[in-house]
Amino acid sequence: MTGTAPVPFTADDYKARMDRAARQAADAGLAGLLVAPGPDLVWLTGYAPPAVTERLTLLVLAAGRQPVLVVPTLEAPDAEKATGAPALALRDWTDGKDPYALAAALLDDRGRFGVSDNAWALHLLGLQQALPDTSYVSLTEALPMLRAVKDAAELERLAAAGAAADAAFEEIRNVRFSGRRESEVAADLAALLRRFGHSQVDFTIVASGPNGADPHHEAGDRRIERGDMVVLDFGGLRDGYGSDTSRTVHVGEPTEEERRVHDLVREAQEAGFRAVRPGAACQDVDRAARAVIADAGYGDHFIHRTGHGIGVTTHEPPYMIEGEERQLVPGMCFSVEPGVYLPGRFGVRIEDIVTVTEDGGRRLNDTERGMVMVD
């Protein structure tokens, strides 16, 4: 079961994204955007170079100008095939030539530019040497919401990725846990994600017993035992868009305390979800989930933000954290994932991807959030 292939993005879709990005850059007081190979380039143009090398590849966006993609000559044929290429002017350069001189000719020599987070220091320093009066700011700082609001086609892909992750959980809860290494269960999870259509698996956290108190535990050689709480956190990319979900299962019968903490985290996750609505601040989601845990006396054991955005990467803005006052708007997608971590004992995390709707929020994960017992 891999599901129906999504409707492909069109050249017009990519043109609209590039136009919007250029306008937002101008509104932010920037002379333009410089986008290196990575998620931003794929999202804006549909182009992913066959290999990320030391050769300069750079998309130049500026309001009122045609987008220009600077590429090595040997990769120009691939760039020309990109879905967004009809909206671009290609400028290629051959080995032995100065690519920074070519790029510099496209830029305001005293401008301030937003630069994609994936840009190499090698290339940014090359541009600075060619244009010493220019200045630069990261895209995450300058335009953090550039990719945050998803359109209908993107939401469809995110929903499909979430459904695939849910299908993986429904399968993994039926495998044997006790007596097996964390790494073995993690390998099962990775295989299931691929079976259900993921082209890329980004993480498969399997944190058993005391390892569950480490939110980013790497699955290792510890053998899972009866009586263990096991945190499962897994996701990746399906049709170019991310999944990320967490459930905490128990091997055999849990203790009263383990049930109580699990129920507490479930209540906190529900409170965070119910705080999702247009006009609410990102920090309101964090506050709602955190208050439940703090009021129960476990506030010091909730040691991370409540959520992060998701799209063409599994972690991106916006972030559900205290101090983030940016308002939620329909189309934003992010995780709601409170947790409680008791060092040396166990941890619990429950996570869904949620999208903001016109009147609230919609979960993109819908597997059992109550205590699930496994063998």
Side-chain angles (χ1 to χ4, degrees), residues 248-284:
T248 304
V249 301
H250 197 277
V251 186
E253 284 289 335
T255 65
E256 181 179 339
E257 181 190 22
E258 288 169 334
R259 281 191 181 278
R260 185 172 68 251
V261 172
H262 192 282
D263 287 347
L264 174 65
V265 174
R266 180 176 58 171
E267 182 184 349
Q269 206 269 347
E270 178 68 19
F273 169 68
R274 292 192 178 281
V276 175
R277 63 185 184 281
C282 292
Q283 68 180 5
D284 293 340

Side-chain angles (χ1 to χ4, degrees), residues 1 4 24 29 35 50 65 67 146 152 168 210 218 264 285 301 322 328 355 374:
M1 169 186 150
T4 305
Q24 288 186 15
V35 185
R65 300 183 190 177
L146 179 61
E218 292 279 346
L264 174 65
V285 179
H301 299 289
E322 181 66 30
L328 302 180
T355 184
V374 296

Side-chain angles (χ1 to χ4, degrees), residues 44-116:
L44 286 163
T45 68
Y47 176 55
V52 179
T53 72
E54 72 285 355
R55 293 185 174 93
L56 179 70
T57 296
L58 193 70
L59 174 67
V60 179
L61 298 177
R65 300 183 190 177
Q66 183 181 20
V68 178
L69 183 63
V70 176
V71 294
T73 300
L74 76 169
E75 294 176 1
D78 292 307
E80 290 170 349
K81 296 174 187 175
T83 305
L88 294 165
L90 289 180
R91 299 286 185 270
D92 64 307
W93 61 276
T94 57
D95 287 350
K97 302 293 185 181
D98 182 358
Y100 306 112
L102 174 60
L106 304 170
L107 307 181
D108 177 346
D109 61 7
R110 294 182 179 273
R112 180 171 174 79
F113 296 90
V115 181
S116 61

Side-chain angles (χ1 to χ4, degrees), residues 30-369:
L30 299 174
L33 301 180
L34 309 178
V35 185
D40 290 311
L41 185 63
V42 174
W43 183 78
L44 286 163
T45 68
Y47 176 55
V52 179
T53 72
E54 72 285 355
R55 293 185 174 93
L56 179 70
T57 296
L58 193 70
L59 174 67
V60 179
L61 298 177
R65 300 183 190 177
Q66 183 181 20
V68 178
L69 183 63
V70 176
V71 294
T73 300
L74 76 169
E75 294 176 1
D78 292 307
E80 290 170 349
K81 296 174 187 175
T83 305
L88 294 165
L90 289 180
R91 299 286 185 270
D92 64 307
W93 61 276
T94 57
D95 287 350
K97 302 293 185 181
D98 182 358
Y100 306 112
L102 174 60
L106 304 170
L107 307 181
D108 177 346
D109 61 7
R110 294 182 179 273
R112 180 171 174 79
F113 296 90
V115 181
S116 61
D117 297 356
N118 292 74
W120 286 19
L122 170 72
H123 299 318
L124 187 56
L125 292 170
L127 288 171
Q128 286 180 315
Q129 185 173 11
L131 296 171
D133 292 327
T134 52
S135 59
Y136 305 89
V137 61
S138 74
L139 272 189
T140 291
E141 180 181 344
L143 298 178
M145 296 295 104
L146 179 61
R147 304 194 319 248
V149 179
K150 276 64 179 179
D151 61 27
E154 291 181 293
L155 289 173
E156 179 183 339
R157 294 185 185 217
L158 283 161
D166 282 358
F169 176 72
E170 294 296 351
E171 291 284 335
I172 203 69
R173 62 185 288 184
N174 294 318
V175 310
R176 186 167 185 82
F177 279 67
S178 61
R180 301 180 68 210
R181 292 183 175 89
E182 292 174 339
S183 57
E184 293 172 329
V185 178
D188 289 345
L189 266 174
L192 286 167
L193 286 171
R194 292 190 177 95
R195 190 212 298 179
F196 292 117
H198 281 62
S199 60
Q200 177 177 314
V201 176
D202 288 341
F203 48 89
T204 51
I205 293 173
V206 178
S208 64
N211 290 338
D214 175 2
H216 282 172
H217 171 70
E218 292 279 346
D221 289 336
R222 183 183 187 276
R223 288 194 181 275
I224 302 169
E225 303 172 356
R226 292 197 68 78
D228 278 349
M229 197 84 90
V230 185
V231 178
L232 305 173
D233 184 348
F234 51 97
L237 298 182
R238 183 185 191 275
D239 294 317
Y241 281 74
S243 68
D244 185 1
T245 188
S246 301
R247 294 292 186 264
T248 304
V249 301
H250 197 277
V251 186
E253 284 289 335
T255 65
E256 181 179 339
E257 181 190 22
E258 288 169 334
R259 281 191 181 278
R260 185 172 68 251
V261 172
H262 192 282
D263 287 347
L264 174 65
V265 174
R266 180 176 58 171
E267 182 184 349
Q269 206 269 347
E270 178 68 19
F273 169 68
R274 292 192 178 281
V276 175
R277 63 185 184 281
C282 292
Q283 68 180 5
D284 293 340
V285 179
D286 183 81
R287 287 175 174 177
R290 198 168 300 277
V292 173
I293 292 172
D295 288 349
Y298 288 90
D300 290 342
H301 299 289
F302 181 9
I303 56 177
H304 56 72
R305 64 197 174 203
T306 293
H308 58 81
I310 191 168
V312 293
T313 56
T314 50
H315 282 207
E316 61 186 46
Y319 297 103
M320 306 302 111
I321 190 170
E322 181 66 30
E324 178 52 85
E325 298 179 350
R326 188 171 282 105
Q327 291 188 347
L328 302 180
V329 298
M332 283 184 174
C333 291
F334 47 85
S335 66
V336 178
E337 51 175 307
V340 168
Y341 308 94
L342 303 177
R345 302 180 62 206
F346 65 89
V348 177
R349 182 164 63 257
I350 300 172
E351 173 186 15
D352 295 326
I353 298 302
V354 173
T355 184
V356 185
T357 65
E358 294 296 333
D359 57 1
R362 175 169 67 95
R363 299 180 193 267
L364 300 187
N365 298 105
D366 202 26
T367 54
E368 176 60 53
R369 294 176 198 91

